[in-house]
Amino acid sequence: MNLPVVQARLTEADLERIRGAVAHVRAHDTDQVLADLLPDLTAEERADVSRHLVFDHTAVLVFPDSLDGLCEELRRCGLEPGDVTPSVVVRGRLARRYGALMGETPVGIVHAPVDGRSVEIFALPVPPHSPLQAVAADERAAEHEAHHAFALASPGVVAPAGLRTLLQERAGAMPDGGGYNGHEDVTVLYFRTRHHRRFELRLPGRHEPLPDPTLSLLGVMTGAWATQAIRTMAELAIADHLADHPGLGTAALADLTGTDPDALRRLLRYLTTLGLLTSAEDTYHLTALGQPLRTGTDFSLHPLALLYGGPFYDSFAGLTHSVRTGQEAFAHRYGQHHFTYFAERPELGTLFHRSMAASAEMFKPVPALVDFSGVRRVVDVGGGNGALLARLLRAHDHLEGVLLERPEALEAARTELTALDLAERCTFVTGDFTEAVPDGGDVYLLSRVLHDWDDDRCLTILRRCAEAMRPGAQLLVVERLLPQHTAVAWDVHMLCNVGGRERDEPHYRQLLKKAGFAVGECHGLPLGASLIHAVRATPCF
């Protein structure tokens, strides 16, 4: 019996992207694509590069209902595609951007020959009504994965190393990830140009980057300069000015920011090398990397730039003290723990809560990761400005919330939830979670709380939660987990500025078990965070 083939329907927008890629491949040769992508290269340099690289394909990402029947759909468009194989690199990039939303969803890759080259089609299957519809909408708008690709025509290791150096130092191309695809035995290296274009080098076999150790160390050692340059960019609202007026020159920006034109030009040049801006003939544009420094946008990193370049930057000068004593440098520098210090200075307290909101992007998948159908009351323990609680209340109309926080934090939360028309569904409770936690909740939240404290204090907080919870009530813990890269960096930050620590998953499981919880699944979240799901299982100690 022959079963019917499930057709992989493509939207007209996706079909148009494929047609555009076919037209581009047919109309351009290697030299033309290089000239378009990398205008800083001279004709002589392009000719030399063309001896080692050939324009191989143009790539697009599309979103069929299913991978089944995709090739048939492409044949109806006049293409002759090969087989669909897994795309390791692009799936990894999407997983890093969207965390648990991606789940186990595969990403397919198929090549369709076009006049001696090909169109490379990445396909993320997005069934109707799937949460992945949001991923598809975001990717269509941003086109993160669209690019042109060059294949290495010269064997050996010298040509790839020389090409990478030339492309970065002369053409201004910035590395943008990549990896080894074992299905094709090809190393894929992505680059981003100064003009927001992406391209790919395809190198046969497995290749590892060969950075210059001294230059790499110098780059790390001058990281403090980058922190302060970014803080100055934030203080001067350069991202906002360039978003409102792309292509401004130094003189106009100096007038808007009240700065010395020559000094500003030198700062802008440095920010360009950091990848936050692009420049051409003394005019400047924001890059994707610089966009999050805009104010008034969702998940703006503007407040974090001010905080990390301000009091936390200052306290990091005492990191040696922290390493020698195990005590936070912030208290050594300022004479108080940072929570107390910020509470007594409203401008810093406001900045801190805005900074916490900047990384609230990590909460996006949470409403869909937990079954809230039988839940009525959600208690957010130490929830700051209520970003996670607000997301749950917006996603599930039947929920009511309780937010436990310090008085100054509650004011910020009340303002935020009022602006979202959610304050009437939330009770605001002043208190100390080391002493007591509101009872009667079906779900309790501990989001970025436990990493602020040592193990003994963590156990105290968890036991206060357990005392307030009935058996079967759920606890959701959001933290960054070691050995993930961002968690390793934040662990040093916690040592220096807070006195807490980041932990790995087994460590948190041990603490939760000691406090009377049965620990369930652990889900990955955006920005390197994780969600640990636990249930109140035994009487508290």
Side-chain angles (χ1 to χ4, degrees):
M1 177 178 178
N2 292 324
L3 297 176
V5 174
V6 178
Q7 296 303 323
R9 294 186 299 273
L10 289 167
T11 65
E12 183 57 32
D14 284 346
L15 291 171
E16 188 58 34
R17 290 149 68 88
I18 294 172
R19 295 186 195 109
V22 170
H24 187 276
V25 168
R26 285 177 171 156
H28 294 77
D29 61 20
T30 301
D31 186 77
Q32 290 169 322
V33 178
L34 284 171
D36 182 42
L37 285 171
L38 303 168
D40 289 344
L41 289 178
T42 66
E44 182 180 3
E45 288 170 336
R46 287 201 311 273
D48 198 30
V49 170
S50 296
R51 292 193 305 110
H52 303 283
L53 294 179
V54 293
F55 175 37
D56 183 74
H57 66 257
T58 291
V60 293
L61 173 61
V62 297
F63 307 92
D65 290 351
S66 165
L67 293 181
D68 294 327
L70 176 60
C71 291
E72 288 81 354
E73 179 85 354
L74 295 174
R75 289 189 188 100
R76 285 193 291 272
C77 299
L79 299 175
E80 291 297 328
D83 294 333
V84 179
T85 59
S87 175
V88 177
V89 176
V90 171
R91 196 204 178 283
R93 289 168 61 88
L94 291 172
R96 285 191 291 274
R97 276 199 291 276
Y98 300 103
L101 271 178
M102 285 292 295
E104 299 299 321
T105 306
V107 175
I109 179 174
V110 58
H111 291 89
V114 176
D115 293 351
R117 300 189 181 93
S118 68
V119 171
E120 185 177 64
I121 300 166
F122 300 110
L124 172 66
V126 180
H129 312 300
S130 164
L132 289 172
Q133 292 284 354
V135 173
D138 186 60
E139 287 296 315
R140 285 191 179 106
E143 294 199 348
H144 292 298
E145 301 307 326
H147 64 266
H148 305 301
F150 301 92
L152 183 68
S154 301
V157 296
V158 174
L163 284 167
R164 279 181 277 178
T165 300
L166 175 69
L167 293 173
Q168 293 179 66
E169 295 187 0
R170 277 288 302 119
M174 293 166 285
D176 192 34
Y180 175 70
N181 188 334
H183 297 283
E184 299 181 64
D185 191 29
V186 167
T187 297
V188 175
L189 300 178
Y190 290 110
F191 293 85
R192 189 174 295 277
T193 75
R194 292 174 180 170
H195 303 283
H196 316 296
R197 310 283 297 283
R198 290 183 66 243
F199 68 95
E200 163 192 315
L201 294 187
R202 294 174 61 82
L203 309 178
R206 187 186 293 272
H207 291 257
E208 299 296 333
L210 300 171
D212 180 291
T214 302
L215 286 177
S216 297
L217 180 58
L218 284 172
V220 173
M221 290 170 62
T222 57
W225 305 352
T227 301
Q228 288 304 316
I230 293 170
R231 174 183 168 87
T232 300
M233 180 177 173
E235 283 188 300
L236 297 177
I238 289 173
D240 286 342
H241 291 309
L242 290 179
D244 292 338
H245 308 286
L248 279 179
T250 302
L253 270 173
D255 287 340
L256 288 170
T257 57
T259 55
D260 177 80
D262 180 65
L264 179 62
R265 181 179 290 106
R266 294 158 71 178
L267 171 66
L268 296 172
R269 182 170 57 195
Y270 182 41
L271 292 170
T272 298
T273 69
L274 296 176
L276 281 77
L277 307 176
T278 59
S279 64
E281 297 180 355
D282 198 41
T283 62
Y284 297 90
H285 295 260
L286 275 179
T287 65
L289 188 64
Q291 287 285 343
L293 287 177
R294 295 173 57 192
T295 60
T297 60
D298 288 343
F299 313 123
S300 168
L301 297 186
H302 184 273
L304 272 177
L306 299 178
L307 186 67
Y308 289 169
F312 285 162
Y313 179 90
D314 190 29
S315 62
F316 250 102
L319 179 58
T320 303
H321 168 82
S322 293
V323 173
R324 282 182 170 151
T325 65
Q327 300 172 357
E328 67 265 32
F330 192 100
H332 180 68
R333 168 68 177 83
Y334 291 103
Q336 292 173 292
H337 189 279
H338 102 262
F339 286 137
T340 306
Y341 186 84
F342 284 8
E344 294 177 359
R345 294 160 179 81
E347 72 285 357
L348 287 179
T350 299
L351 177 62
F352 178 75
H353 291 299
R354 287 171 53 217
S355 299
M356 293 293 286
S359 53
E361 183 180 359
M362 66 176 60
F363 302 144
K364 288 172 67 175
V366 175
L369 289 176
V370 178
D371 181 6
F372 288 94
S373 59
V375 173
R376 183 180 64 86
R377 196 174 197 222
V378 178
V379 181
D380 196 350
V381 179
N385 69 345
L388 176 54
L389 181 60
R391 186 166 289 276
L392 297 179
L393 294 178
R394 279 186 293 174
H396 302 287
D397 293 339
H398 66 283
L399 296 181
E400 63 182 51
V402 179
L403 182 63
L404 174 71
E405 257 295 0
R406 301 181 309 278
E408 69 279 0
L410 279 183
E411 287 307 309
R414 194 187 306 272
T415 299
E416 292 290 332
L417 271 70
T418 299
L420 296 170
D421 294 326
L422 297 173
E424 292 184 357
R425 293 168 56 196
C426 189
T427 302
F428 300 90
V429 179
T430 301
D432 179 350
F433 49 57
T434 65
E435 296 180 358
V437 169
D439 60 12
D442 302 302
V443 171
Y444 285 72
L445 310 176
L446 278 173
S447 173
R448 299 178 294 179
V449 170
L450 298 178
H451 74 160
D452 289 331
W453 309 99
D454 62 23
D455 281 4
D456 288 342
R457 190 61 64 91
C458 280
L459 277 172
T460 297
I461 297 167
L462 290 171
R463 285 169 174 160
R464 295 296 172 264
C465 290
E467 289 168 358
M469 297 169 68
R470 58 171 175 77
Q474 303 176 70
L475 176 66
L476 306 181
V477 177
V478 177
E479 295 288 357
R480 290 185 172 93
L481 299 181
L482 295 170
Q484 202 267 348
H485 176 72
T486 52
V488 172
W490 254 266
D491 187 42
V492 178
H493 167 69
M494 304 311 290
L495 167 67
C496 189
N497 284 295
V498 181
R501 66 188 312 136
E502 306 294 352
R503 300 170 174 88
D504 59 20
E505 183 182 343
H507 196 156
Y508 277 119
R509 285 181 175 272
Q510 181 184 43
L511 291 172
L512 286 160
K513 184 177 180 180
K514 283 184 179 180
F517 292 92
V519 187
E521 291 185 286
C522 180
H523 303 277
L525 299 175
L527 303 183
S530 295
L531 171 69
I532 301 174
H533 186 274
V535 175
R536 174 73 170 87
T538 60
C540 60
F541 290 74

